[in-house]
Amino acid sequence: MRSPLVPLLFLAAVPLAASVDFDHEIVPLLRKHCGECHTGDKRKGSFSMNTRATLLEGSENGAVVVPSDVTKSKLLELVASADLDVRMPPKGPGLSAVDIAKLKAWIAEGAVWTEGFAFKQPAYEPLLKPRTPVLPAAQDGRDHPIDRVLDAWVKEKKLVRPPVADDATFLRRVQLDLVGVLPSAAETAAFVADRAPDKRAKLVKALLSREVDYADHWMAFWNDLLRNDYVGTGYIDGGRKQITGWLYAALHENKPYDVFVRELIAPTPASEGFGKGIIWRGSVSAGARPELQFAQSVSQTFLGINMKCASCHDSFIDRWKLRDAYGLAAITSNQPLELVRCDIPTGKQSAAAWPFPELGQIDPTKPRAERLQQLAALMTHPDNGRLQRTIVNRLWHRLMGRGVVHPVDAMQTAPWNQDLLDILANRLVESKYDLKAVLEFIATSQAYQSQAETLTRTADDKGYVYRGPRAKRLTAEQFVDALWRLTGTVPVKVDAGVARAAAGQSSLAWQAQPLWSNDKAKGELPPVGETRVFRLRFQVPESLAKAGCVVSCDNSYELFVNGKTASKGDDWQTPQAFDLTSYLHAGENEFLLVGRNGGSAPNAAAVWLQAYLRDAKGKDTTLATNRAWEWTAALPNAKGVLPANATWRPVAVLAPAVWSKGEPKMGELLTQLSGKGIPPARASLVKSDMLQRSLGRPNREQIVSMRPNELSTLEAIDLANGQAFTDLLSRGATNLLRRSWKSPDEFTQWLYVSALCRPPSAAELKVAQEILGPRLNEQGVSDLLWAVCMLPEFQTIR
């Protein structure tokens, strides 16, 4: 049992998300009590609260707010003063005790400020049409367009160019970024040993060619952004519709982004759930009706525009008006739409309209379907650079840790580098709206392959300065996938109704041949209760990356792999599939498949097994029941050990027609493990559970374009002591103990390389030895798994 002090120490070491809501608690307070003198263009006493940067500059008398230090924050002293000549604000009743407490808590938590927010935004209007920047000259042979722009920017700012990350760091980063899974220890060793100068570019291309892994990973990103899920509000009562099948197919086939957008705006039956939104139960505000949801979703997702405020009243934060939101809403409305301001009807009808008439306009007299087609055409108009810039900015943020425009839904604000944003957008258009091409463009730059920036708490207090990619926290899905794969606890089935195999691969060739009795017509049937043991010895390469197996028997079986029970079953129509990797070791291995016949009279009996082994280079080896196996009537003990005098005989292979009903089911399961068709489950394709929710997976009743990069208190507690996480670690430890480890140190080396892509340091190895003891056991393995998973290095993509 872990020490009760461990969770407390863990909590103390982890930065926690703020408990005070800046947008809804602090902004209204400052606007009400301080706005008249210290926001917008007003700087009474040379003090402005308009932005966080001006707030921290202080006044003519020095600092007013010192983040995380309430004793040095003069603001608190002024608002709490009983002296009316000193107290702020000088007029009115002043702040209540509750408001002062909120301010104090906010400052104590670092005076967190929503990035990009200002009480008065500068007069900036983003470019609409595409723009082709002039690229600076290449420096030091770095000719990639991204590097040419950023190298010139760094040189102009007199900054140091970030150095290149080592191979192992790059490998872990790019695999998690592009396909969402950790490289295996064998894959890491092979990549680090590779001396080819273009190996990084080849790896990027190879990862993006893994259609299923790519689609599995990016489902989480698009489910968040398109407000799609498998369960939740509206799915039971018909007030909401999934787009899961359409979305997965679009990612799997890499549908061009302009086509992708058009099919969501002017939808097919498979993609209409996005535009329909949610029909909420009970009374809701006018701004939550489905037509307004359409306006909000389309503008936020594709243009990075916040129409939520403008769905109730003219926006306080940018130029969008109530009529703009209702104009978009009217495009999808089946009846005239009355403008409602702050839930008060105005008596005015809205007209279907698109907010950028420079590109064209909607004809409000046309039927709804035609209006949506017009909107889809305008949204994907070649001159709509805002669509292009919005999506590439989202992809840059996902790979680099911060948007060129940030936050990514604040596209009405200035980018920190317009040229960078434009070359990314132009790459999208040049590639015919190929999102994978943009990802490859970013990932093959030296900028992406640089060492991650070391952040401080005050890094952005005076504005963002590019110093390389920023570390990103693993998403809930990435964390769970990593743990599943490390521990061999990957489930077979998924909840998302998706076709994960490419066309023509939905059913792989079933190579396993049934073994045991011969033709029933010849009367060669085993007696009731007969037990036979089938054996195969085979070689496993040093570079094994993964392995999977599917097995069944009529009537029941037990499978031993290298003397350890790997699987049991008693229903031949429900074949068992499992991750085989943790049971195998380099060199000679052995399957012992114990089959038992049941029934009340002699009857046909059979066993089947098929497995795939994949090495680090992607080469597959198939193992299946066939004439290469042998059998004996001698029975093994509980540890899978046979008597020394066991007599082995050639097997009998059943005719193909026998048991044919069982083969399709087994073939279907086999594709889930082979790597050629459907791989094991991914967290992005299963329903959210307690662990994923505590790790930040949203409920998707609202669009989520950026998940928090900080750990909340709930998440920290669940990782420290949560039952779901503890149970997963326990099951994982049981699985890992089935492998033949030469020593605890060998297990530690494997775990660190598999989880972090590096071996343990001497100090880490010493700690692991203390945790594991002289012999591996479930508690020690579980504790070391927990310790490694708690490392910030594991929980982040650096």
Side-chain angles (χ1 to χ4, degrees):
M1 182 175 182
R2 287 190 284 273
S3 165
L5 288 176
V6 173
L8 297 177
L9 291 171
F10 170 59
L11 284 171
V14 175
L16 301 179
S19 62
V20 180
D21 187 332
F22 173 75
D23 293 314
H24 296 94
E25 295 182 282
I26 301 302
V27 168
L29 189 157
L30 296 180
R31 194 189 301 276
K32 177 181 177 181
H33 296 286
C34 312
E36 184 178 344
C37 300
H38 301 291
T39 63
D41 300 324
K42 306 236 181 114
R43 300 180 65 101
K44 191 169 183 179
S46 299
F47 177 52
S48 170
M49 294 182 171
N50 194 54
T51 66
R52 189 173 195 267
T54 60
L55 174 78
L56 299 185
E57 284 175 7
S59 71
E60 57 193 13
N61 296 318
V64 176
V65 170
V66 178
S68 304
D69 193 338
V70 296
T71 61
K72 293 182 181 178
S73 294
K74 191 171 182 62
L75 177 65
L76 295 175
E77 177 186 334
L78 294 174
V79 297
S81 176
D83 185 344
L84 295 182
D85 292 331
V86 173
R87 194 203 69 188
M88 291 292 167
K91 300 176 184 178
L95 275 67
S96 68
V98 172
D99 286 342
I100 293 172
K102 286 180 183 177
L103 270 182
K104 185 174 183 180
W106 173 62
I107 292 172
E109 292 174 350
V112 175
W113 190 288
T114 298
E115 194 159 5
F117 173 79
F119 284 97
K120 182 180 179 181
Q121 295 287 352
Y124 171 80
E125 181 62 25
L127 297 172
L128 175 62
K129 293 186 177 182
R131 166 182 170 270
T132 302
V134 176
L135 288 175
Q139 298 180 33
D140 305 323
R142 290 159 59 102
D143 197 44
H144 193 294
I146 290 175
D147 297 320
R148 290 171 67 173
V149 169
L150 291 181
D151 288 352
W153 189 92
V154 167
K155 185 176 182 180
E156 179 188 345
K157 302 292 183 182
K158 296 184 169 71
L159 299 172
V160 177
R161 181 194 299 164
V164 176
D166 61 70
D167 282 343
T169 299
F170 168 75
L171 173 65
R172 188 177 191 271
R173 178 191 299 171
V174 76
Q175 284 223 176
L176 286 167
D177 279 344
L178 298 185
V179 293
V181 292
L182 290 170
S184 68
E187 288 170 327
T188 299
F191 185 76
V192 171
D194 190 350
R195 293 292 174 259
D198 60 345
K199 67 178 183 179
R200 293 193 178 192
K202 285 182 177 178
L203 175 64
V204 170
K205 193 173 289 291
L207 290 171
L208 290 171
S209 70
R210 287 162 53 173
E211 293 95 345
V212 174
D213 282 340
Y214 173 85
D216 288 350
H217 171 55
W218 287 92
M219 274 295 284
F221 170 87
W222 286 106
N223 276 340
D224 284 4
L225 195 56
L226 300 178
R227 200 164 65 169
N228 180 65
D229 215 332
Y230 318 127
V231 292
T233 300
Y235 289 123
I236 295 175
D237 59 15
R240 190 176 181 188
K241 185 178 179 180
Q242 286 190 41
I243 59 169
T244 301
W246 175 88
L247 176 57
Y248 191 88
L251 295 174
H252 193 279
E253 69 187 48
N254 195 30
K255 191 184 292 288
Y257 185 62
D258 57 342
V259 178
F260 181 96
V261 172
R262 286 196 292 271
E263 291 184 9
L264 286 169
I265 293 175
T268 65
S271 62
E272 66 181 353
F274 168 72
K276 279 189 169 183
I278 302 174
I279 300 174
W280 296 96
R281 295 174 121 183
S283 177
V284 295
S285 68
R289 61 184 298 174
E291 296 89 346
L292 268 298
Q293 291 180 45
F294 174 85
Q296 296 160 13
S297 297
V298 166
S299 58
Q300 181 177 354
T301 302
F302 304 129
L303 300 171
I305 291 173
N306 180 358
M307 285 287 184
K308 289 183 180 177
C309 289
S311 297
C312 185
H313 47 72
D314 292 347
S315 176
F316 295 148
I317 60 174
D318 51 38
R319 72 174 178 86
W320 304 108
K321 308 296 184 184
L322 184 68
R323 65 174 181 271
D324 294 316
Y326 270 82
L328 278 172
I331 297 173
T332 192
S333 181
N334 286 312
Q335 59 275 325
L337 202 59
E338 181 183 9
L339 272 76
V340 178
R341 186 181 299 274
C342 297
D343 279 343
I344 300 174
T346 65
K348 299 177 182 178
Q349 298 297 313
S350 61
W354 152 255
F356 300 104
E358 306 96 305
L359 303 180
Q361 194 49 272
I362 306 295
D363 184 347
T365 67
K366 296 295 184 182
R368 174 181 180 273
E370 197 167 335
R371 296 196 303 269
L372 290 173
Q373 290 286 353
Q374 291 176 352
L375 176 60
L378 288 168
M379 185 69 78
T380 57
H381 192 291
D383 282 346
N384 183 15
R386 292 189 70 137
L387 173 78
Q388 304 153 15
R389 294 184 183 102
T390 298
I391 184 58
V392 298
N393 187 56
R394 294 190 191 282
L395 298 183
W396 180 267
H397 167 258
R398 290 288 288 193
L399 267 61
M400 298 294 286
R402 194 186 190 281
V404 186
V405 177
H406 199 84
V408 295
D409 284 334
M411 293 300 289
Q412 198 64 24
T413 55
W416 63 267
N417 192 314
Q418 184 70 53
D419 286 353
L420 174 60
L421 187 61
D422 284 329
I423 64 167
L424 293 169
N426 294 343
R427 178 62 185 138
L428 176 69
V429 177
E430 291 161 4
S431 67
K432 298 181 180 179
Y433 289 85
D434 184 341
L435 295 182
K436 284 188 178 181
V438 177
L439 292 170
E440 182 178 0
F441 186 60
I442 297 171
T444 52
S445 69
Q446 292 294 304
Y448 174 80
Q449 297 176 24
S450 299
Q451 289 181 15
E453 176 186 0
T454 301
L455 284 177
T456 63
R457 286 180 64 89
T458 61
D460 293 338
D461 282 353
K462 297 183 179 179
Y464 172 70
V465 177
Y466 166 76
R467 289 188 172 88
R470 288 188 168 181
K472 308 171 293 284
R473 181 182 166 199
L474 288 180
T475 65
E477 293 86 348
Q478 288 172 320
F479 186 99
V480 171
D481 279 337
L483 196 53
W484 279 351
R485 295 202 175 202
L486 281 173
T487 60
T489 53
V490 185
V492 173
K493 297 181 180 179
V494 300
D495 297 310
V498 296
R500 299 175 73 201
Q505 286 189 325
S506 57
S507 180
L508 292 178
W510 176 246
Q511 300 179 30
Q513 297 174 300
L515 307 181
W516 205 330
S517 61
N518 285 325
D519 197 326
K520 182 177 180 180
K522 296 181 180 180
E524 298 176 351
L525 299 175
V528 174
E530 181 182 41
T531 301
R532 291 189 180 185
V533 179
F534 301 84
R535 180 175 74 175
L536 179 71
R537 287 178 172 168
F538 56 95
Q539 294 292 317
V540 171
E542 289 277 357
S543 60
L544 180 68
K546 67 176 181 178
C549 185
V550 60
V551 60
S552 189
C553 174
D554 182 16
N555 287 92
S556 62
Y557 77 91
E558 184 171 10
L559 174 65
F560 294 92
V561 180
N562 294 324
K564 296 181 180 180
T565 302
S567 181
K568 296 180 180 181
D570 57 8
D571 180 1
W572 70 272
Q573 296 187 83
T574 308
Q576 301 297 308
F578 63 98
D579 189 321
L580 183 63
T581 314
S582 62
Y583 296 88
L584 303 178
H585 54 253
E588 186 173 78
N589 290 252
E590 181 183 75
F591 285 144
L592 278 183
L593 181 51
V594 182
R596 298 180 179 85
N597 190 25
S600 56
N603 61 89
V607 295
W608 302 264
L609 179 146
Q610 187 158 324
Y612 274 89
L613 279 59
R614 171 168 287 186
D615 66 18
K617 295 182 179 180
K619 180 182 177 182
D620 286 327
T621 301
T622 304
L623 303 172
T625 44
N626 54 29
R627 295 186 187 278
W629 291 59
E630 53 189 353
W631 76 275
T632 181
L635 302 181
N637 62 21
K639 295 184 178 181
V641 178
L642 286 161
N645 60 354
T647 302
W648 292 98
R649 308 174 189 178
V651 294
V653 176
L654 293 182
V658 181
W659 308 104
S660 61
K661 292 181 180 179
E663 290 186 14
K665 283 192 175 184
M666 294 191 181
E668 181 182 342
L669 273 177
L670 178 64
T671 61
Q672 297 177 343
L673 293 158
S674 68
K676 295 179 179 177
I678 306 174
R682 292 285 293 273
S684 63
L685 301 180
V686 302
K687 297 173 185 175
S688 185
D689 57 16
M690 186 177 296
L691 178 58
Q692 288 201 55
R693 287 194 295 274
S694 71
L695 287 168
R697 176 166 164 173
N699 61 19
R700 294 173 178 145
E701 291 172 2
Q702 302 293 331
I703 288 174
V704 175
S705 56
M706 295 170 55
R707 295 190 190 179
N709 211 36
E710 299 82 23
L711 199 65
S712 73
T713 304
L714 172 63
E715 293 162 6
I717 291 172
D718 274 354
L719 289 178
N721 255 352
Q723 192 61 48
F725 186 42
T726 299
D727 290 346
L728 184 55
L729 292 174
S730 179
R731 287 190 288 116
T734 300
N735 276 350
L736 289 169
L737 285 171
R738 294 190 180 108
R739 295 184 61 170
S740 300
W741 303 103
K742 294 176 184 176
S743 67
D745 282 358
E746 183 192 32
F747 169 72
T748 302
Q749 293 283 346
W750 170 87
L751 178 59
Y752 270 79
V753 174
S754 299
L756 307 175
C757 293
R758 66 165 179 83
S761 66
E764 288 168 331
L765 187 59
K766 183 177 179 181
V767 170
Q769 289 168 345
E770 294 173 359
I771 292 173
L772 296 175
R775 296 186 62 183
L776 292 177
N777 58 75
E778 184 176 319
Q779 186 64 59
V781 170
S782 176
D783 282 350
L784 187 59
L785 279 172
W786 182 88
V788 170
C789 289
M790 290 304 97
L791 291 172
E793 185 180 354
F794 177 80
Q795 295 188 21
T796 54
I797 305 171
R798 296 176 180 267

